[in-house]
């Protein structure tokens, strides 16, 4: 039986570090610059109570599981510190990441339970006597916090979870004290409305009191039920794991970002996105390595990556950048790729590898013959549909008159596009972590082949004195609905390209890989 | 009422994010479709009767190795992402222009297309996916219910079709429109799978098998499914079989010389597995050939289909209609299967509505019957015709081809192998079967089930395999036999003696057919040659303003005729000795001698021999051949069966 949800408590050895001379930003900067271990330990010491308490709320009071979640969150922080935005509000970042890591842990656990056990648990919970207000809202608190805009959420966390003064919050958020007061007040009201579904008598003042009383800053140092020394142990483990994992933002990820930037051309708005791409790639690599290191089985996961596998992104608006890559790969290499992949952890690594093979300009600089046929990138607002098209129309099927010599009838020629098209419908999850894509892509190859009729049996494609001409095209298209974690990529389709009769005799066969990537729009 | 405290994180998110949230993440899978071509009968025969590798895992591994070694050909390899509950489609095609309208030949003798459409040649995969939350015991992976429709179109060549008014008849092609020959391979089925699994979806002969010499190529279609987030099941945890309720049905057709086939079928003791083994051995030894093999995965209550066809644009033309167009003929093989025995009962719901609930006699596959339709077209040849010898410029060519259809419902015995039907070929008009006029061939079709049914239905074999043999007797034998049958008031006569004489080669078996029929059902086996024959009818032109009196002339048209054997059997009940209605139709094709090729064909119709025998409420003993009908041939002088007597031998097993 798990302990009651209230009062929440944390170990007494983890008094939050509140040294006024070094704030989160300073400590993070020191750790980033020199992997400074004391700085990281100070960060863990400072934020562990909040992380652990949040995790414990979300895992139904299971202290051991809360510690595991905390471990994973801080390991992620240790490894991923390089790619955090420069002025990140660490408390908010940690809170969101804790939520998703805990959600992942809960899902994994819940899938092991049978339906009957779940039903029994539900019945049991319904038979409980009326609980006090805090247990009513505690299970919903973190979800409600996640539903707040990022700035509001940061304000609430700094004020009530870290128990900071308005002036300190103003310095952290780089704004005025009055603005912080206003923002905190409004955020509290929004939070009350969200939580009001579960406690009708809840007022903003009552909520503020409850938060002060029960959140980590207020109750932090009451009786401890967590294992002693948890923060120190977690910091040590996180640092050890970080040392054994590749540093973020280097190697393939950097190349990927550079290549993507080059492929996108000189679009200024997208340059900022490359930094995010870099970070995302690094995270995916990190995540894969972590799974390997910990021996974690992904069998219990339902999707390519759980929300926890993706770093929380601060969406400035409900907009995403969607990129569609059309990449041509020689048959032998493509077959090897397809035989080796079982798509267990998404396709970001595969995309990065192919882009690396294609060379900086995407034109096949590598010896493997991989080349980028087309890249389409655009920005979508959630719940909108738009089409990207980079193609030219070529006359393909004329209608001829019956008189000789035959002349095409005016206005009756069918045209075919040569180039690429992507019609995308985007729907962002309300928590901003997932992107639901309804995708239709097509790539018409810019290699139209003329045919002359009557066709010369010898195979010549030369026009004769009395011939009519048509044009042959090759197209690869796909339509699919899929769900991507923001920052993730997936292979939409892979197809062998049909050869064009005689024109391509002797050329190596090719396959077309189509990838789609969804990125949050850069704050810049 | 107090709001229940919901304590799981996904449930929390659901409360606040009703539209779409991380908690509502719907899984998706990458589906990879592969088609591998392998020449030779050995692999196909082994796959049809494989009880050790029902899932096709070992076959897939072997074929992929052979692809790497260059011994097999990777014909298609395509992958698409599919979200549970949604449909995805991927296509990689070349849009080939196909002429649909033409100018007339004109004085220059050149025909030009004036209008076009496009044909998408390449690979298309359409898939729908449902992922069940349930984990499959033994592999601990989620069950994926896949609805698949892969299609592969290949442009084989551009063929110069002969056109009236132009010499050439398909050889030089100068000035003739060259129309595309397009091969189509399709599968439509609903397999079950899981991450790490490979399912052998279907097998079909290469569409070009009937067009080229040499060993036939068979195409093996697989699906591999990877659910995102799941790693493949470890090899030692993989199940080698198919999922419950999911079986693969094979239709394997073996071709023997007609007399040998008659002897084999008359002497078999009803052990179809032994017969299959014997005939497979003959294929390996080169004394028989594998003329067709189609297979497809099918589940309870569903219908699956596999087809491998070549679309031939065939000239639709007659001398009296100089304008011409093309129509499509499908040449190839198609197999459609579904579980039979579906019944329904109605129930009334609480609100008074009537609900129909389908009930399958066999939910676990043991007692299932199968409805099968096998269609095969082969041996297409362009036959030059001279509709009017006085106008040699109007030489043209019309297509002829063989068609075989088997439609039946039956149970498959515990061995998993059933001999489902035989059909003798109709002689070719000209060259496709040089020995056709003297002997001809017989195709024997086996239907196999992988994995085989359980042993629960051991001994339960209510269906009847009804075989019909048409003995071609000299008059010295035919006349007394007819008299004996008449003396017996039409009751079937024992035929053991006549069978022994047939086996000794004293007279030939002119035609042969068989099919399996289930009690209360009807089955049909058809094997005909589609022959275009000129039909001349008297025509009286009425009085008009320009025609003061009626004019009597001839109407000449070219009609398609079905020349061959059609056997229809209806089972009257479940008695120990089956009571059947049998219809036997036999229409001999007129055979042209080589020296007749350039002559008018007015006499062809006269050389046809048509026979139709209808037997009603015939009670047949099991495993005892009987003679049910004897009659003289009405073939005219010069026809192959002229002067012969025909005795219909029936054998029910």
């Amino acid at each position: 039986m798990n302990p009651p949800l209230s009062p929440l408590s944390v170990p007494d050895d983890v008094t939050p570090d509140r040294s006024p001379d070094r704030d989160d930003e300073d400590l993070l900067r020191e750790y980033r610059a020199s992997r400074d271990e004391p700085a990281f330990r100070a960060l863990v010491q400072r934020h562990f109570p909040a992380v652990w308490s949040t995790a414990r709320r979300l895992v139904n009071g299971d202290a051991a599981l809360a510690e595991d979640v905390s471990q994973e969150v801080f390991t992620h922080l240790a490894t991923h510190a390089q790619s955090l935005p420069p002025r990140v509000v660490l408390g908010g970042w940690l809170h969101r990441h804790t939520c998703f890591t805990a959600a992942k842990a809960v899902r994994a656990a819940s899938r092991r339970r049978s339906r009957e056990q779940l039903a029994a648990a539900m019945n049991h919970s319904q038979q409980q006597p009326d609980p006090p207000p805090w247990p009513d809202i505690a299970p919903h608190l973190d979800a409600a916090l996640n539903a707040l805009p990022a700035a509001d959420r940061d304000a609430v966390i700094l004020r009530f979870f870290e128990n900071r003064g308005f002036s300190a919050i103003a310095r952290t958020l780089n704004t005025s004290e009055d603005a912080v007061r206003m923002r905190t007040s409004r955020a509290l009201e929004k939070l009350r409305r969200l939580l009001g579904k579960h406690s009708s008598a809840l007022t903003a003042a009552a909520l503020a009191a409850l938060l002060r009383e029960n959140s980590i800053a207020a109750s932090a140092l009451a009786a401890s039920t967590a294992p002693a020394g948890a923060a120190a142990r977690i910091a040590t483990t996180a640092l050890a794991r970080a040392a054994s994992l590749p540093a973020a933002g280097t190697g393939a990820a950097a190349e990927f970002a550079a290549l993507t930037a080059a492929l996108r051309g000189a679009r200024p708005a997208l340059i900022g996105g490359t930094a995010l791409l870099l970070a995302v790639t690094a995270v995916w690599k990190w995540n894969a390595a972590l799974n390997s290191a910990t021996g974690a089985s992904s069998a219990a996961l339902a999707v390519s990556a759980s929300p926890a596998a993706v770093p929380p992104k601060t969406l400035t608006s409900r907009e995403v950048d969607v990129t569609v890559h059309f990449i041509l790969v020689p048959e032998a290499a493509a077959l090897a790729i397809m035989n080796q992949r079982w798509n267990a952890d998404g396709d970001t690594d595969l995309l990065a590898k192919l882009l690396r093979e294609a060379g900086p300009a995407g034109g096949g600089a590598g010896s493997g013959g991989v080349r980028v046929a087309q890249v389409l990138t655009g920005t979508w607002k959630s719940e909108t549909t738009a089409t990207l098209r980079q193609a030219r129309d070529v006359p393909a099927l004329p209608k001829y008159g019956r008189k000789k010599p035959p002349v095409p009838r005016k206005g009756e020629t069918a045209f075919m596009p040569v180039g690429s098209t992507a019609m995308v419908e985007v729907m962002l999850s309300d928590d901003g972590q997932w992107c639901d894509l309804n995708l239709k892509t097509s790539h018409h190859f810019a290699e139209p082949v003329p045919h002359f009729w009557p066709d010369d049996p010898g195979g010549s494609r030369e026009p004769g004195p009395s011939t009519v001409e048509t044009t042959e095209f090759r197209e690869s298209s796909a339509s699919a609905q899929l769900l991507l974690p923001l920052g993730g990529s997936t292979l939409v389709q892979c197809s062998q390209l049909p050869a064009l009769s005689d024109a391509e005799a002797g050329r190596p066969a090719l396959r077309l890989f189509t990838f789609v990537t969804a990125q949050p729009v850069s704050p810049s | 009422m107090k709001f229940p405290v919901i304590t799981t994180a996904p449930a929390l998110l659901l409360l606040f994010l009703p539209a779409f949230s991380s908690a509502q993440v719907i899984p998706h899978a990458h589906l990879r479709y592969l088609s591998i071509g392998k020449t030779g009968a050995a692999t196909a025969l082994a796959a049809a009767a494989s009880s050790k590798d029902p899932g096709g895992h070992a076959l897939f591994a072997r074929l992929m190795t052979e692809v790497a070694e260059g011994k097999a050909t990777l014909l298609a390899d395509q992958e698409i992402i599919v979200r549970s509950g949604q449909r995805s489609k991927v296509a990689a095609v070349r849009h080939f222009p196909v002429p649909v309208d033409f100018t007339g030949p004109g004085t220059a003798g050149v025909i030009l297309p004036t209008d076009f459409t496009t044909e998408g040649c390449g690979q298309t995969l359409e898939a729908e996916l449902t992922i069940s939350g349930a984990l499959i015991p033994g592999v601990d992976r989620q069950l994926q219910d896949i609805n698949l429709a892969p299609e592969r179109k290949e442009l084989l060549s551009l063929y110069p079709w002969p056109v009236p008014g132009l010499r050439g008849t398909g050889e030089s092609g100068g000035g003739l429109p060259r129309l595309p020959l397009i091969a189509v391979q399709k599968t439509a089925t609903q397999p079950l799978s899981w991450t790490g699994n490979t399912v052998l979806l279907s097998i079909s002969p290469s569409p070009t098998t009937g067009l080229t010499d040499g060993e036939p190529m068979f195409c093996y279609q697989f699906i591999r499914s990877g659910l995102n987030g799941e790693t493949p099941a470890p090899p030692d945890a993989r199940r080698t079989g198919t999922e419950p309720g999911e079986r693969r049905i094979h239709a394997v057709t073996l071709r023997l010389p007609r007399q040998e086939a008659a002897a084999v079928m008359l002497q078999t003791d009803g052990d179809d597995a032994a017969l299959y083994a014997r005939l497979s051995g003959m294929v390996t030894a080169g004394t028989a050939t594998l003329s067709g093999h189609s297979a497809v995965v099918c589940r309870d209550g569903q219908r699956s289909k596999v087809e491998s066809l070549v679309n031939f644009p065939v000239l639709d033309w007659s001398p009296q209609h100089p304008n011409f167009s093309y129509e499509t003929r499908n040449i190839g093989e198609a197999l459609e299967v579904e579980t039979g025995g579906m019944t329904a009962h109605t129930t009334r719901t609480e609100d008074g509505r009537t609900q129909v609930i389908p009930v399958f006699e066999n939910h676990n596959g043991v007692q299932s019957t199968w409805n099968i339709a096998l269609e095969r077209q082969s041996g297409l040849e362009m036959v030059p015709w001279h509709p009017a010898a006085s106008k040699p410029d109007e030489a043209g060519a019309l297509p002829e081809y063989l068609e075989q259809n088997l439609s039946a419902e039956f149970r498959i015995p515990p061995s998993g192998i059933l001999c489902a039907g035989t059909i003798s070929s109709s002689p070719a008009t000209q060259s496709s079967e040089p020995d056709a006029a003297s002997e001809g061939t017989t195709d024997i079709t086996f239907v196999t089930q992988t994995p085989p049914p359980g042993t629960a239905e051991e001994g339960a074999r209510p269906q009847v395999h009804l075989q019909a043999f048409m003995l071609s007797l000299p008059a010295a034998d035919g006349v007394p036999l007819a008299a004996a049958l008449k003396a017996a008031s039409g009751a079937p006569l024992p035929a053991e003696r006549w069978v022994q004489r047939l086996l000794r080669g004293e007279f030939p078996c002119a035609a042969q057919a068989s099919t399996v029929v289930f009690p209360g059902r009807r089955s049909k086996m058809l094997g005909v040659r589609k022959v275009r024959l000129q039909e001349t009818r008297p025509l009286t032109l009425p009085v008009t303003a320009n025609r003061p009196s009626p004019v009597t002339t001839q109407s000449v048209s070219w009609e398609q005729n079905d020349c061959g054997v059609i056997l229809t059997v209806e089972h009257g009940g479940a008695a120990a000795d089956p009571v059947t209605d049998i219809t036997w139709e036999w229409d001999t094709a007129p055979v042209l001698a080589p020296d007749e090729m350039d002559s008018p064909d007015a006499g062809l119709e006269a050389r046809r021999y048509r026979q139709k025998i209808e037997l009603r409420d015939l009670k047949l003993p099991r495993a005892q051949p009987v003679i049910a009908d004897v009659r003289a041939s009405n073939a005219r002088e010069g026809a192959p069966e002229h002067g012969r007597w025909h005795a219909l031998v029936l054998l029910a097993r």
Side-chain angles (χ1 to χ4, degrees), chain A residues 219-237:
Chain A
S219 64
L221 313 176
S224 167
T225 55
R233 187 170 62 248
I234 280 173
T236 304
T237 307

PDB file of all heavy atoms in Angstrom, chain A residues 219-237:
ATOM      1  N   SER A 219       6.564  22.319   2.336  1.00  0.00           N
ATOM      2  CA  SER A 219       6.570  21.120   3.168  1.00  0.00           C
ATOM      3  C   SER A 219       7.854  20.330   3.025  1.00  0.00           C
ATOM      4  O   SER A 219       7.967  19.241   3.539  1.00  0.00           O
ATOM      5  CB  SER A 219       5.411  20.213   2.757  1.00  0.00           C
ATOM      6  OG  SER A 219       5.603  19.788   1.436  1.00  0.00           O
ATOM      7  N   ALA A 220       8.740  20.927   2.321  1.00  0.00           N
ATOM      8  CA  ALA A 220       9.904  20.168   1.896  1.00  0.00           C
ATOM      9  C   ALA A 220      10.578  19.425   3.014  1.00  0.00           C
ATOM     10  O   ALA A 220      10.941  18.280   2.865  1.00  0.00           O
ATOM     11  CB  ALA A 220      10.900  21.112   1.251  1.00  0.00           C
ATOM     12  N   LEU A 221      10.701  20.064   4.059  1.00  0.00           N
ATOM     13  CA  LEU A 221      11.632  19.493   5.003  1.00  0.00           C
ATOM     14  C   LEU A 221      10.951  18.929   6.225  1.00  0.00           C
ATOM     15  O   LEU A 221      11.494  18.930   7.307  1.00  0.00           O
ATOM     16  CB  LEU A 221      12.664  20.551   5.323  1.00  0.00           C
ATOM     17  CG  LEU A 221      13.145  21.187   4.025  1.00  0.00           C
ATOM     18  CD1 LEU A 221      14.112  22.314   4.266  1.00  0.00           C
ATOM     19  CD2 LEU A 221      13.684  20.167   3.088  1.00  0.00           C
ATOM     20  N   ALA A 222       9.741  18.484   6.005  1.00  0.00           N
ATOM     21  CA  ALA A 222       9.050  17.758   7.066  1.00  0.00           C
ATOM     22  C   ALA A 222       9.629  16.353   7.140  1.00  0.00           C
ATOM     23  O   ALA A 222      10.668  16.068   6.571  1.00  0.00           O
ATOM     24  CB  ALA A 222       7.568  17.724   6.764  1.00  0.00           C
ATOM     25  N   ALA A 223       8.880  15.492   7.799  1.00  0.00           N
ATOM     26  CA  ALA A 223       9.412  14.144   7.997  1.00  0.00           C
ATOM     27  C   ALA A 223       9.741  13.463   6.684  1.00  0.00           C
ATOM     28  O   ALA A 223       8.974  13.503   5.743  1.00  0.00           O
ATOM     29  CB  ALA A 223       8.360  13.324   8.737  1.00  0.00           C
ATOM     30  N   SER A 224      10.848  12.873   6.651  1.00  0.00           N
ATOM     31  CA  SER A 224      11.315  12.266   5.404  1.00  0.00           C
ATOM     32  C   SER A 224      10.902  10.812   5.325  1.00  0.00           C
ATOM     33  O   SER A 224      10.995  10.071   6.272  1.00  0.00           O
ATOM     34  CB  SER A 224      12.827  12.363   5.335  1.00  0.00           C
ATOM     35  OG  SER A 224      13.292  11.536   4.297  1.00  0.00           O
ATOM     36  N   THR A 225      10.446  10.453   4.143  1.00  0.00           N
ATOM     37  CA  THR A 225      10.185   9.033   3.899  1.00  0.00           C
ATOM     38  C   THR A 225      11.050   8.512   2.781  1.00  0.00           C
ATOM     39  O   THR A 225      11.057   7.341   2.490  1.00  0.00           O
ATOM     40  CB  THR A 225       8.710   8.814   3.528  1.00  0.00           C
ATOM     41  OG1 THR A 225       8.408   9.657   2.423  1.00  0.00           O
ATOM     42  CG2 THR A 225       7.809   9.121   4.674  1.00  0.00           C
ATOM     43  N   ALA A 226      11.771   9.403   2.110  1.00  0.00           N
ATOM     44  CA  ALA A 226      12.625   8.963   1.012  1.00  0.00           C
ATOM     45  C   ALA A 226      13.957   8.508   1.565  1.00  0.00           C
ATOM     46  O   ALA A 226      14.345   8.888   2.658  1.00  0.00           O
ATOM     47  CB  ALA A 226      12.836  10.108   0.038  1.00  0.00           C
ATOM     48  N   PRO A 227      14.657   7.686   0.819  1.00  0.00           N
ATOM     49  CA  PRO A 227      15.950   7.212   1.309  1.00  0.00           C
ATOM     50  C   PRO A 227      16.922   8.351   1.516  1.00  0.00           C
ATOM     51  O   PRO A 227      16.968   9.297   0.722  1.00  0.00           O
ATOM     52  CB  PRO A 227      16.428   6.276   0.190  1.00  0.00           C
ATOM     53  CG  PRO A 227      15.619   6.642  -1.000  1.00  0.00           C
ATOM     54  CD  PRO A 227      14.328   7.159  -0.489  1.00  0.00           C
ATOM     55  N   ALA A 228      17.651   8.244   2.542  1.00  0.00           N
ATOM     56  CA  ALA A 228      18.613   9.296   2.832  1.00  0.00           C
ATOM     57  C   ALA A 228      19.723   9.304   1.803  1.00  0.00           C
ATOM     58  O   ALA A 228      20.095   8.285   1.256  1.00  0.00           O
ATOM     59  CB  ALA A 228      19.200   9.066   4.230  1.00  0.00           C
ATOM     60  N   GLY A 229      20.238  10.480   1.564  1.00  0.00           N
ATOM     61  CA  GLY A 229      21.364  10.601   0.646  1.00  0.00           C
ATOM     62  C   GLY A 229      20.979  10.459  -0.808  1.00  0.00           C
ATOM     63  O   GLY A 229      21.838  10.250  -1.666  1.00  0.00           O
ATOM     64  N   ALA A 230      19.676  10.540  -1.096  1.00  0.00           N
ATOM     65  CA  ALA A 230      19.237  10.298  -2.469  1.00  0.00           C
ATOM     66  C   ALA A 230      19.822  11.306  -3.437  1.00  0.00           C
ATOM     67  O   ALA A 230      20.269  10.949  -4.524  1.00  0.00           O
ATOM     68  CB  ALA A 230      17.707  10.333  -2.529  1.00  0.00           C
ATOM     69  N   ALA A 231      19.822  12.575  -3.037  1.00  0.00           N
ATOM     70  CA  ALA A 231      20.298  13.606  -3.966  1.00  0.00           C
ATOM     71  C   ALA A 231      21.760  13.392  -4.327  1.00  0.00           C
ATOM     72  O   ALA A 231      22.151  13.473  -5.491  1.00  0.00           O
ATOM     73  CB  ALA A 231      20.094  14.979  -3.343  1.00  0.00           C
ATOM     74  N   ALA A 232      22.567  13.093  -3.327  1.00  0.00           N
ATOM     75  CA  ALA A 232      23.984  12.892  -3.604  1.00  0.00           C
ATOM     76  C   ALA A 232      24.196  11.682  -4.499  1.00  0.00           C
ATOM     77  O   ALA A 232      24.999  11.704  -5.441  1.00  0.00           O
ATOM     78  CB  ALA A 232      24.729  12.705  -2.281  1.00  0.00           C
ATOM     79  N   ARG A 233      23.451  10.621  -4.209  1.00  0.00           N
ATOM     80  CA  ARG A 233      23.606   9.405  -5.013  1.00  0.00           C
ATOM     81  C   ARG A 233      23.187   9.669  -6.456  1.00  0.00           C
ATOM     82  O   ARG A 233      23.835   9.246  -7.416  1.00  0.00           O
ATOM     83  CB  ARG A 233      22.751   8.300  -4.382  1.00  0.00           C
ATOM     84  CG  ARG A 233      22.956   6.949  -5.015  1.00  0.00           C
ATOM     85  CD  ARG A 233      22.287   5.850  -4.202  1.00  0.00           C
ATOM     86  NE  ARG A 233      20.851   6.018  -4.116  1.00  0.00           N
ATOM     87  CZ  ARG A 233      20.188   6.314  -3.011  1.00  0.00           C
ATOM     88  NH1 ARG A 233      20.855   6.517  -1.887  1.00  0.00           N
ATOM     89  NH2 ARG A 233      18.878   6.435  -2.998  1.00  0.00           N
ATOM     90  N   ILE A 234      22.079  10.380  -6.598  1.00  0.00           N
ATOM     91  CA  ILE A 234      21.578  10.667  -7.943  1.00  0.00           C
ATOM     92  C   ILE A 234      22.560  11.523  -8.712  1.00  0.00           C
ATOM     93  O   ILE A 234      22.837  11.294  -9.888  1.00  0.00           O
ATOM     94  CB  ILE A 234      20.197  11.342  -7.834  1.00  0.00           C
ATOM     95  CG1 ILE A 234      19.160  10.256  -7.581  1.00  0.00           C
ATOM     96  CG2 ILE A 234      19.857  12.137  -9.089  1.00  0.00           C
ATOM     97  CD1 ILE A 234      17.777  10.775  -7.276  1.00  0.00           C
ATOM     98  N   ALA A 235      23.131  12.510  -8.034  1.00  0.00           N
ATOM     99  CA  ALA A 235      24.099  13.371  -8.717  1.00  0.00           C
ATOM    100  C   ALA A 235      25.297  12.560  -9.182  1.00  0.00           C
ATOM    101  O   ALA A 235      25.776  12.706 -10.320  1.00  0.00           O
ATOM    102  CB  ALA A 235      24.535  14.493  -7.780  1.00  0.00           C
ATOM    103  N   THR A 236      25.777  11.655  -8.319  1.00  0.00           N
ATOM    104  CA  THR A 236      26.940  10.852  -8.671  1.00  0.00           C
ATOM    105  C   THR A 236      26.638   9.965  -9.866  1.00  0.00           C
ATOM    106  O   THR A 236      27.409   9.870 -10.828  1.00  0.00           O
ATOM    107  CB  THR A 236      27.353   9.984  -7.464  1.00  0.00           C
ATOM    108  OG1 THR A 236      27.584  10.857  -6.360  1.00  0.00           O
ATOM    109  CG2 THR A 236      28.596   9.173  -7.773  1.00  0.00           C
ATOM    110  N   THR A 237      25.489   9.295  -9.815  1.00  0.00           N
ATOM    111  CA  THR A 237      25.129   8.388 -10.906  1.00  0.00           C
ATOM    112  C   THR A 237      24.947   9.155 -12.205  1.00  0.00           C
ATOM    113  O   THR A 237      25.397   8.718 -13.272  1.00  0.00           O
ATOM    114  CB  THR A 237      23.823   7.651 -10.552  1.00  0.00           C
ATOM    115  OG1 THR A 237      23.987   7.040  -9.283  1.00  0.00           O
ATOM    116  CG2 THR A 237      23.505   6.596 -11.587  1.00  0.00           C
TER     117      THR A 237
END
